[in-house]
Amino acid sequence: MRVLGIETSCDETGVALYDTEHGLLADALHSQIAMHAEYGGVVPELASRDHVRKLLPMIEQVLKQAELSRADIDGIAYTAGPGLVGALMVGASTAHGLAKAWKIPVLGVHHMEGHLLAPMLEDEPPEYPFVALLVSGGHTQLVEVKGLGQYKLLGESVDDAAGEAFDKTAKMLGLPYPGGPQVAKLAEQGNPTRFRFPRPMTDRPGLDFSFSGLKTHTLTTLNQLKAAGTLDDQARADIARAFEDATIDTLTIKCRRALEQTGLKRLVVAGGVSANVRLRERLCEALAKRNIKTYYPRGRFCTDNGAMIAYVGAQRLVAGEHDDSTMRATPRWPIKDLVPPQS
Ligand code: KG4
Ligand code: ZN
């Protein structure tokens, strides 16, 4: 089955073609980062309008890339949530409109299920069951995955997501949006021993996270240095390093705990923050000696993309699941509400 995947939940337009027999055939990605940069974050109305501009030409582009025509497409998958409602509606209405015109099934899929299963697009995909750490701009979650749609939420952030904390820290340090990669770059020049920031909620049992206190700690440190007149470029880099170390350590400790608790030997790390090189190194170092294998999507598929949506949609469409004639756009949609494919 050949499935067209459409992702428009936030600030990336992603389109891809996935074949259940031959794998990924084509994918195209347009990032709106430059457009939102001057506002310091995503402007929802601008995001929706840009998806409208880019989506149809990108669909033509992937068909051309794969040397296929509309008649070769057997189904369409789109991100139905969670995300920005206007942005989601662009993908949902386009997907439903095309499916009706082309007389093929269409299905709205969960954005985080896309991230969760993005490593399935790699040459050595993980086998079920595994533990997944989902770290994006909107979510920080640990999930026990037994199979497609069999997800048990083990823990999540009670306030800010890890990516959000990176973005807010970047803003405090005067770095542009999106902040994750910028903080990581600045941290390379930082001295790891100058500051030690707290590792929130690691001193008590449980698998939940909290990053808002860490953000406040960063701000307080910055203000103290500012007041003392010692906030120079090196101090900024040292703060970036202390923040990154604290976040990565916290994520690593909770992953180790989740693996111990479930007894599982495979860890999937996905979502935008999984692109962080030092997070990967730290997890590798902490888990290799415990005989735990870690799986990531390739760099391009860590952040939002159409390939992960095409993949998830294909797995569910092939099992007979599809939308009725109503398009779906669900800004808030807990991953624990997902179930295995329903035909
Ligand atoms: O998954 P994603 O593209 O969008 C959401 O679904 O939220 O994740 C975007 C998030 C942003 O917060 C961004 O700052 C963060 O991922 N991010 C990173 C890195 N690359 C992206 N955070 C830390 N280090 C990185 N290298
Ligand atoms: Zn995402």
Side-chain angles (χ1 to χ4, degrees):
M1 184 179 210
R2 280 195 206 106
V3 174
L4 173 71
I6 295 175
E7 156 63 37
T8 63
S9 68
C10 191
D11 59 349
E12 255 111 23
T13 316
V15 179
L17 280 170
Y18 182 83
D19 186 320
T20 47
E21 269 176 49
H22 301 105
L24 190 64
L25 303 178
D27 89 286
L29 194 65
H30 171 75
S31 167
Q32 303 176 351
I33 284 175
M35 188 181 79
H36 297 294
E38 64 174 296
Y39 304 99
V42 178
V43 183
E45 182 59 23
L46 294 183
S48 310
R49 287 170 190 231
D50 201 55
H51 288 310
V52 171
R53 273 192 294 270
K54 299 290 173 353
L55 196 48
L56 288 175
M58 285 173 67
I59 292 172
E60 295 286 348
Q61 185 188 330
V62 292
L63 283 171
K64 209 166 159 195
Q65 226 182 79
E67 296 177 8
L68 294 174
S69 74
R70 295 159 190 201
D72 299 312
I73 308 301
D74 307 305
I76 303 180
Y78 64 95
T79 304
L84 302 169
V85 71
L88 290 169
M89 281 173 69
V90 177
S93 52
T94 306
H96 269 263
L98 291 177
K100 204 167 175 76
W102 297 350
K103 298 187 177 58
I104 52 176
V106 58
L107 178 67
V109 304
H110 194 287
H111 180 80
M112 297 311 291
E113 187 175 41
H115 277 305
L116 181 79
L117 298 180
M120 296 296 188
L121 293 161
E122 301 309 319
D123 288 341
E124 270 189 61
E127 277 173 36
Y128 297 115
F130 53 80
V131 169
L133 171 69
L134 296 177
V135 266
S136 71
H139 295 81
T140 303
Q141 297 179 320
L142 275 164
V143 185
E144 182 177 351
V145 180
K146 292 207 174 117
L148 182 71
Q150 293 175 265
Y151 310 131
K152 184 175 163 198
L153 187 63
L154 300 171
E156 66 183 331
S157 178
V158 297
D159 42 54
D160 292 356
E164 194 180 352
F166 265 100
D167 294 339
K168 288 178 178 169
T169 298
K171 220 173 200 172
M172 289 181 225
L173 290 166
L175 299 169
Y177 169 85
Q182 305 279 343
V183 171
K185 198 162 162 234
L186 184 61
E188 281 170 27
Q189 267 105 55
N191 171 357
T193 56
R194 177 157 172 203
F195 302 109
R196 187 181 159 83
F197 285 9
R199 276 63 173 150
M201 292 176 82
T202 53
D203 55 351
R204 60 183 112 150
L207 294 169
D208 283 339
F209 305 88
S210 164
F211 290 107
S212 81
L214 185 55
K215 184 185 67 192
T216 311
H217 190 91
T218 308
L219 185 63
T220 310
T221 310
L222 265 166
N223 286 341
Q224 280 166 352
L225 293 173
K226 226 181 260 172
T230 53
L231 185 62
D232 54 13
D233 286 350
Q234 187 57 50
R236 279 198 182 83
D238 296 343
I239 288 175
R241 179 65 194 250
F243 167 81
E244 191 186 41
D245 278 351
T247 306
I248 288 174
D249 246 11
T250 306
L251 294 172
T252 305
I253 292 166
K254 298 280 168 145
C255 282
R256 208 164 50 204
R257 218 178 261 177
L259 289 156
E260 264 164 26
Q261 192 176 304
T262 56
L264 295 174
K265 292 285 179 198
R266 287 180 283 266
L267 176 72
V268 158
V269 189
V273 184
S274 70
N276 186 285
V277 175
R278 296 199 43 252
L279 171 65
R280 291 179 177 220
E281 282 170 4
R282 181 81 180 81
L283 279 171
C284 180
E285 175 192 287
L287 301 178
K289 52 182 180 270
R290 289 164 193 251
N291 217 10
I292 287 159
K293 194 151 185 228
T294 315
Y295 299 84
Y296 300 94
R298 73 194 76 166
R300 180 177 169 81
F301 297 158
C302 285
T303 45
D304 295 348
N305 64 87
M308 66 185 193
I309 301 304
Y311 175 82
V312 169
Q315 305 312 305
R316 289 182 173 274
L317 282 160
V318 89
E321 186 174 341
H322 58 80
D323 284 1
D324 57 21
S325 57
T326 319
M327 69 168 212
R328 293 186 294 134
T330 315
R332 287 186 187 279
W333 182 5
I335 197 167
K336 62 178 173 44
D337 290 355
L338 289 178
V339 291
Q342 308 287 297
S343 52

